[in-house]
Amino acid sequence: MSIVQPIALASDRVMTALIAGLELEFGRGAGEALASRFMEAEDIDIHWDARNEERWIGAYGSQEGYVELDRIAATGFLDGPWFVALFIVDGDGNAHGMLSCRKCASADAAALAFAQTR
């Protein structure tokens, strides 16, 4: 039996769970190295899924012309530090890129940075 949780509900233990799962699959010692590579490759989606608050900042000029994209500021907690990030998001709520990501030492610092994001 397996339990599936969204990242936002388990954001304080993402790396621990990822490493444990990868060690089960690929053997002891491989989990940590593979987890780092996985986190790098999926950085945008992982941060987007771990958000707990978001705010529309404005439209984002798309090169494709037919896709409407927006700039969305988001804050959340991911495996230790709080973060504030600026994402490029389509009308369906899918993140296409992350323009910036700032780590914050506390929830208060993240709230202040989030309020100042333009």
Side-chain angles (χ1 to χ4, degrees):
M1 182 170 107
S2 64
I3 298 172
V4 178
Q5 291 181 327
I7 290 174
L9 295 179
S11 61
D12 60 335
R13 53 190 187 276
V14 170
M15 282 299 282
T16 304
L18 181 58
I19 290 169
L22 290 169
E23 284 184 349
L24 282 173
E25 184 71 25
F26 298 104
R28 188 163 193 91
E32 196 166 326
L34 290 172
S36 296
R37 306 271 313 217
F38 180 83
M39 291 293 282
E40 282 178 30
E42 300 296 326
D43 191 41
I44 296 166
D45 290 329
I46 289 170
H47 278 84
W48 180 248
D49 290 341
R51 73 195 185 284
N52 65 356
E53 189 175 353
E54 64 185 70
R55 185 178 81 240
W56 184 80
I57 299 296
Y60 180 80
S62 170
Q63 298 291 345
E64 299 167 22
Y66 60 89
V67 177
E68 291 187 30
L69 299 173
D70 294 309
R71 290 181 306 128
I72 305 288
T75 183
F77 182 79
L78 184 60
D79 210 31
W82 284 84
F83 68 88
V84 176
L86 190 58
F87 293 94
I88 301 168
V89 181
D90 66 19
D92 294 328
N94 299 312
H96 288 257
M98 187 165 51
L99 299 172
S100 65
C101 183
R102 179 175 163 189
K103 305 292 185 211
C104 299
S106 66
D108 291 338
L112 180 61
F114 180 67
Q116 295 173 345
T117 301
R118 304 272 180 258

